[in-house]
Amino acid sequence: MKRLRVVTPLIFLFAVATGYFLYLTFSGHITPNPVSDAVVASVRPYPTLTSPKNVTLNCDYHGENVAVTETLYGSLADYYRNNPAKYSAFYHNQNEKYVFSYKQDPTISDLTSKIKKIGVDKGLDRDRTLDLATCLLQSIPYDNEKAARILSPDYYKLAANQLVPRYPYETLYEGKGICTDKSFLGAAVFLELGYGTSLLTFDSQRHMSIGVSVPDGMGDFGTDYGIVELTGSNFLVGDIPEISGNAGLAVGGVQTIPNVTTDSTVAAENRTVLSALSATIPISSGAIYSRISARMALKNEISTLQPQLASSRSSYLNLKAALTASEEELQKTESSYKQSPTSASYSRYTTSYNSYLSAYNAATTAVDEYNSLVNKYNELVAKYKEF
């Protein structure tokens, strides 16, 4: 009887300890280890694939629509969504853990194989195939709703399930993602393509991108990686974006600009150039993206034109303002002369008219100079986009 009285509390304590261990494991509060992995595997067997749906990625690659389709499963998406390791990685700031697929799940491998096949069919070399993959991944819509939550001042008050990133499978299945989600997916695909790949984090700017290995001296932010931005479209390897403070996605890049004859400008918004690199998180070693070398000289030429464009546009705008003021003064003196056609009023009118002509000629010359620079810039950008 005494032995029973001693054993019973021990069983109770063991049950409590086991229950607490299970709680910590499934809530993600402990770092995965062989014991916790074994527990998770026994309690969460790989699911039967049910609720299929086709997911298609498509983009305009050099003027031609390219598409790849994968069949994904709701049951597997739920399995990823509820993986305790996801929350453990979140609590322990282990971003590299999100570049993850179950061994039984061939989705990322299959997707990458389809992209490779398109590359072969189109006669693309390895680097151009990576460009094609980038184009397809950029086409996944940005998750504005999730971004609004995470970028809100009170984001730290949200529950973990409102903040935790998606695994690559989830991003594909849900057809949307923010910078973290898309970067984890991109890193998984680049790994399958055989490239040296990293995650680039910019904590103060609340952003993440991926990096691909490039030749010595051509990396961004003092690293050995060229940045690959996936939250915006038309960014090539090495194109450093601006980040919209309103939404957290990439804007800008190497784009053509309109002539001032259309006088169309994008409304100003809160945006900053991506610059404050916090960490480089290696994901895989592998091939170097050497294609960046061929377009570096062209990119540098584009960069040297940018300050000239800014100066020329500033001059044009100042002269345009002077022309507007001169035109208003001309209208006043013309009206005054018509109301009182005296020698004095006529003299004021002719003086205003001569000033207006001078302002008009100066503004026209400035417009022509600016448009000439714009045309040269756009020609270079068009060549750059051919890569």
Side-chain angles (χ1 to χ4, degrees):
M1 184 64 70
K2 274 186 176 180
R3 183 178 296 175
L4 184 59
R5 288 176 182 170
V6 173
V7 172
T8 301
L10 291 176
I11 293 174
F12 174 75
L13 290 174
F14 178 77
V16 171
T18 301
Y20 187 58
F21 176 76
L22 288 172
Y23 163 73
L24 291 176
T25 298
F26 282 91
S27 63
H29 284 84
I30 64 172
T31 304
N33 56 71
V35 176
S36 65
D37 289 346
V39 170
V40 171
S42 64
V43 178
R44 297 186 72 239
Y46 195 75
T48 301
L49 300 182
T50 59
S51 304
K53 77 170 183 179
N54 288 334
V55 172
T56 299
L57 305 183
N58 64 81
C59 74
D60 182 356
Y61 182 73
H62 291 279
E64 182 180 354
N65 184 264
V66 178
V68 292
T69 300
E70 278 291 315
T71 300
L72 304 182
Y73 299 89
S75 59
L76 186 51
D78 289 339
Y79 191 69
Y80 275 105
R81 191 176 297 116
N82 297 314
N83 185 352
K86 175 196 284 192
Y87 292 88
S88 176
F90 176 74
Y91 290 128
H92 295 93
N93 194 32
Q94 297 173 313
N95 285 309
E96 68 279 5
K97 298 291 187 181
Y98 290 102
V99 187
F100 168 77
S101 294
Y102 291 104
K103 292 179 181 178
Q104 304 93 318
D105 175 23
T107 301
I108 300 300
S109 177
D110 287 349
L111 174 68
T112 307
S113 293
K114 291 176 181 177
I115 295 172
K116 287 180 179 178
K117 184 178 185 307
I118 294 174
V120 170
D121 292 343
K122 294 186 174 299
L124 304 181
D125 60 20
R126 188 175 197 171
D127 283 354
R128 285 180 172 84
T129 301
L130 183 140
D131 293 337
L132 172 61
T134 299
C135 177
L136 289 164
L137 293 168
Q138 288 172 343
S139 72
I140 297 173
Y142 190 71
D143 189 347
N144 291 293
E145 182 180 348
K146 184 177 180 181
R149 289 199 307 268
I150 291 179
L151 294 175
S152 70
D154 296 330
Y155 75 96
Y156 59 90
K157 297 179 181 178
L158 297 173
N161 63 358
Q162 296 289 302
L163 299 171
V164 69
R166 298 176 172 105
Y167 284 130
Y169 191 94
E170 294 177 85
T171 300
L172 285 173
Y173 183 83
E174 297 183 27
K176 59 184 177 181
I178 60 171
C179 61
T180 50
D181 306 324
K182 298 187 75 173
S183 293
F184 299 142
L185 172 58
V189 171
F190 284 10
L191 186 157
E192 285 289 331
L193 286 172
Y195 281 89
T197 307
S198 68
L199 298 172
L200 305 178
T201 62
F202 304 82
D203 293 346
S204 64
Q205 294 175 284
R206 312 273 296 274
H207 193 71
M208 179 185 287
S209 296
I210 55 178
V212 62
S213 295
V214 292
D216 290 344
M218 295 190 176
D220 296 307
F221 312 108
T223 73
D224 296 325
Y225 300 96
I227 188 172
V228 186
E229 179 55 51
L230 298 181
T231 63
S233 59
N234 299 314
F235 289 95
L236 301 175
V237 176
D239 289 348
I240 298 175
E242 294 176 290
I243 300 300
S244 166
N246 302 333
L249 77 164
V251 293
V254 182
Q255 304 290 340
T256 56
I257 55 180
N259 293 97
V260 296
T261 50
T262 63
D263 213 23
S264 59
T265 57
V266 178
E269 64 171 327
N270 177 24
R271 56 169 70 180
T272 56
V273 175
L274 195 62
S275 58
L277 180 67
S278 303
T280 302
I281 305 171
I283 297 299
S284 62
S285 58
I288 290 176
Y289 179 91
S290 58
R291 195 158 182 259
I292 193 172
S293 306
R295 63 169 182 266
M296 189 58 69
L298 187 56
K299 188 176 182 180
N300 289 338
E301 191 174 354
I302 290 171
S303 296
T304 60
L305 273 182
Q306 289 172 338
Q308 295 179 50
L309 278 165
S311 176
S312 181
R313 180 170 177 78
S314 177
S315 175
Y316 151 68
L317 290 176
N318 289 334
L319 290 170
K320 179 183 177 182
L323 176 61
T324 299
S326 180
E327 188 174 14
E328 290 174 352
E329 179 63 22
L330 177 61
Q331 290 172 349
K332 289 179 182 177
T333 57
E334 184 179 18
S335 176
S336 177
Y337 172 69
K338 288 180 178 178
Q339 292 177 5
S340 178
T342 64
S343 297
S345 62
Y346 179 75
S347 178
R348 286 193 294 272
Y349 167 70
T350 54
T351 299
S352 296
Y353 182 74
N354 288 333
S355 296
Y356 169 76
L357 282 180
S358 177
Y360 177 84
N361 289 334
T364 300
T365 298
V367 168
D368 290 341
E369 290 175 352
Y370 178 72
N371 282 342
S372 178
L373 280 173
V374 167
N375 291 337
K376 182 178 179 181
Y377 181 86
N378 287 344
E379 286 175 6
L380 292 175
V381 170
K383 290 181 181 178
Y384 187 76
K385 293 297 182 184
E386 291 174 2
F387 278 93

